């Protein structure tokens, strides 16, 4: 099964993506994680990408597109979940061309829908439990609001990720995501229009609600392909 997943930062895309990947045994091709790996290893690509990543800008297509498409070709046989790519219409077109020329099927495109303000609150309200990262705590979400600064599950002292508290950085990422002319929503639209005519299914899922609720709605829509 081959899937592309779209969703703004704070929509739960990473969490739902991990659940899909696990259920169907897919390779998770995550462009941001690939760049971070290059950075860690100090490769030439990592060094070139660093300044863009530090600013929260997109790395230029000339670097990003070949990197992702090479990995996609490598992992094409066992099924994949593509996450973080494409992020603009040019990347979407290049991806579509590459899939066609490699004879690769695209089974599903998933778009997690969430209002921008809600996504921002989710990120800024997120608190981390040092003892167990799977303990959910968010000061802006009633159901998982912690007791003061203590984890609601185990009582450990909560922390927050520095980049989760950086409103300007969140706004910048959301500017790119929610840009329906040139940004990620435009890439999603490219696939939405395309899938109206083909065998690929385009699934829009409401990202409101907790992880379990979104999972319950989403996973049954992905039948074994
Ligand atoms: P992410 O973890 O998906 O937010 O990605 C981290 C950073 O990697 C982004 O802020 C960009 O600088 C870069 N990046 C990831 N995916 C792409 C992409 N498809 N196009 C351009 N830059 C990307």
């Amino acid at each position: 099964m081959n899937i592309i997943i779209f969703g703004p930062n704070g929509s739960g895309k990473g969490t739902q993506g991990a659940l899909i990947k696990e259920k169907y045994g897919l390779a998770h091709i995550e462009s941001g994680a690939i760049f971070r790996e290059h950075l860690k290893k100090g490769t030439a690509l990592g060094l070139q990408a660093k300044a863009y990543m530090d600013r929260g800008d997109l790395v230029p297509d000339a670097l990003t597109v070949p990197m992702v498409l090479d990995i996609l070709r490598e992992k094409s046989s066992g099924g994949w979940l593509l996450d973080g790519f494409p992020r603009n219409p040019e990347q979407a077109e290049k991806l579509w061309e590459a899939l066609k020329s490699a004879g690769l099927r695209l089974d599903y495109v998933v778009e997690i829908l969430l209002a921008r303000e809600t996504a921002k609150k989710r990120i800024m309200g997120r608190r981390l439990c040092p003892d167990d990262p799977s303990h959910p705590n968010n000061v802006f979400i009633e159901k998982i609001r912690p007791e003061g600064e203590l984890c609601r599950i185990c009582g450990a002292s909560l922390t927050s990720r520095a980049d989760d508290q950086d409103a300007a950085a969140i706004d910048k990422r959301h500017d790119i995501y929610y840009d329906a002319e040139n940004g990620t929503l435009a890439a999603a639209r490219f696939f939405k229009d395309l899938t109206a005519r083909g065998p690929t299914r385009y699934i829009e899922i409401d990202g409101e609600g907790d992880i379990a609720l979104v999972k319950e709605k989403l996973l049954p829509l992905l039948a074994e392909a």
Side-chain angles (χ1 to χ4, degrees):
M1 186 188 292
N2 298 332
I3 306 175
I4 302 175
I5 188 163
F6 289 104
N9 252 137
S11 68
K13 171 173 69 79
T15 308
Q16 298 301 330
L19 293 167
I20 296 171
K21 172 197 117 162
E22 204 170 297
K23 175 161 183 196
Y24 292 102
L26 306 177
H28 196 175
I29 304 176
E30 203 191 335
S31 48
I34 302 168
F35 276 128
R36 281 188 288 278
E37 192 62 23
H38 275 280
L39 259 184
K40 214 166 79 188
K41 289 188 183 147
T43 67
L45 179 58
L47 292 175
Q48 283 175 288
K50 184 176 182 331
Y52 299 97
M53 294 174 74
D54 286 347
R55 288 196 303 267
D57 286 332
L58 291 185
V59 178
D61 287 356
L63 298 175
T64 307
V65 173
M67 175 189 83
V68 175
L69 295 186
D70 280 353
I71 293 189
L72 198 61
R73 284 185 201 103
E74 257 172 49
K75 304 209 167 166
S76 60
S77 54
W80 40 262
L81 175 75
L82 189 53
D83 181 348
F85 184 94
R87 261 164 145 110
N88 61 34
E90 293 74 26
Q91 292 184 1
E93 276 174 45
K94 297 256 170 56
L95 171 61
W96 182 238
E97 288 305 319
L99 292 177
K100 269 196 308 191
S101 66
L104 287 174
R105 213 177 54 196
L106 178 61
D107 300 298
Y108 296 99
V109 178
V110 174
E111 180 185 349
I112 303 184
L113 306 168
L114 196 65
R116 184 168 174 160
E117 264 317 297
T118 312
K120 185 173 176 179
K121 269 191 168 178
R122 280 208 189 155
I123 301 169
M124 297 205 70
R126 186 156 57 189
R127 297 292 179 269
L128 301 178
C129 172
D131 291 348
D132 187 338
S134 74
H135 289 170
N137 289 276
N138 193 304
V139 297
F140 294 134
I141 301 176
E142 183 68 48
K143 247 177 115 177
I144 54 170
R145 183 172 295 150
E147 291 288 330
E149 286 301 311
L150 301 179
C151 174
R152 351 177 328 273
I153 314 273
C154 67
S157 288
L158 295 168
T159 58
S160 51
R161 252 169 52 185
D163 55 343
D164 279 357
Q165 300 308 307
D166 185 342
I170 296 166
D171 285 342
K172 196 161 190 184
R173 305 178 114 206
H174 281 168
D175 281 346
I176 297 172
Y177 185 84
Y178 287 98
D179 179 350
E181 294 289 314
N182 302 302
T184 310
L185 281 186
R189 173 52 55 102
F190 173 91
F191 279 99
K192 193 172 179 179
D193 292 346
L194 200 86
T195 54
R197 305 189 298 271
T200 304
R201 276 199 60 202
Y202 195 95
I203 297 174
E204 285 172 306
I205 198 97
D206 182 359
E208 287 279 353
D210 59 22
I211 293 171
L213 183 73
V214 177
K215 176 188 167 194
E216 260 168 46
K217 286 188 287 186
L218 176 56
L219 287 190
L221 298 174
L222 303 169
E224 200 76 54

